[in-house]
Amino acid sequence: FERKHGMRQYGTQDVNTAEIMAGITKKTFIVNDPNKIRIIMEEAYELAVTGRKGPVCVEIPINIQSARCDDKVVNSIQCIENEWNSVDEKTAERIITMLREAERPLILAGQGVRLAGAVSEFNSFIEMYDIPVVTSRMGNDIIESDSRLFVGRPGNHGSRASHFAIQKCDVLMIIGSRLAPNTAGYNVKAFSNQSKK
């Protein structure tokens, strides 16, 4: 099922999904053969969960949705294990040393902590090293709001305490946050410019 005739519409309520999705996904797939579903789904899943995680689009046309495929294809589909990007030991030691030596360390944590499946590890880490935390808007569920280490959420509608902490910390560790404009503002150079990040 290839869209090679330059037609605007191919059937009732049909649009060229691949073009629409191209700018907002890591990749768009169109399943043209029911026996290739395994290969496409495995590639799509791997792409979505590795590297910088993000959306993919798999379009399965109506004729493929109702097609039969070989039982071997269905029975052989397996999930792919996530690969962890590990930090080398020297870098980890350097970061821990910076945090220990800091007078006013702070962690800015975002949704990436949850996406990595590391919420409990994150909370153990901040408790172990007694480091205060601010969270981005999308990271608001990785630490309890009544935790003694939770300072607040910065950004457009953030708390005064979180903004003050960011502008006064001497070491800022950023974990799982892309520093979106509603967290860091539009002048990124001025964001916590007194701290080592």
Side-chain angles (χ1 to χ4, degrees), residues 114-134:
R114 179 161 300 287
L115 291 175
V119 173
S120 83
E121 290 90 342
F122 171 79
N123 281 285
S124 296
F125 177 82
I126 64 172
E127 286 291 335
M128 182 188 305
Y129 292 100
D130 203 33
I131 303 171
V133 175
V134 295

Side-chain angles (χ1 to χ4, degrees), residues 130-183:
D130 203 33
I131 303 171
V133 175
V134 295
T135 60
S136 68
R137 184 176 60 148
M138 296 301 289
N140 64 5
D141 65 344
I142 60 174
I143 183 173
E144 296 292 329
S145 294
D146 60 357
S147 166
R148 66 182 183 83
L149 295 172
F150 180 67
V151 178
R153 294 181 182 88
N156 303 6
H157 304 288
S159 67
R160 180 179 166 94
S162 66
H163 293 150
F164 186 77
I166 287 171
Q167 293 310 110
K168 293 295 180 184
C169 67
D170 56 348
V171 173
L172 178 61
M173 183 176 188
I174 303 157
I175 305 174
S177 172
R178 65 186 178 96
L179 297 178
N182 66 353
T183 298

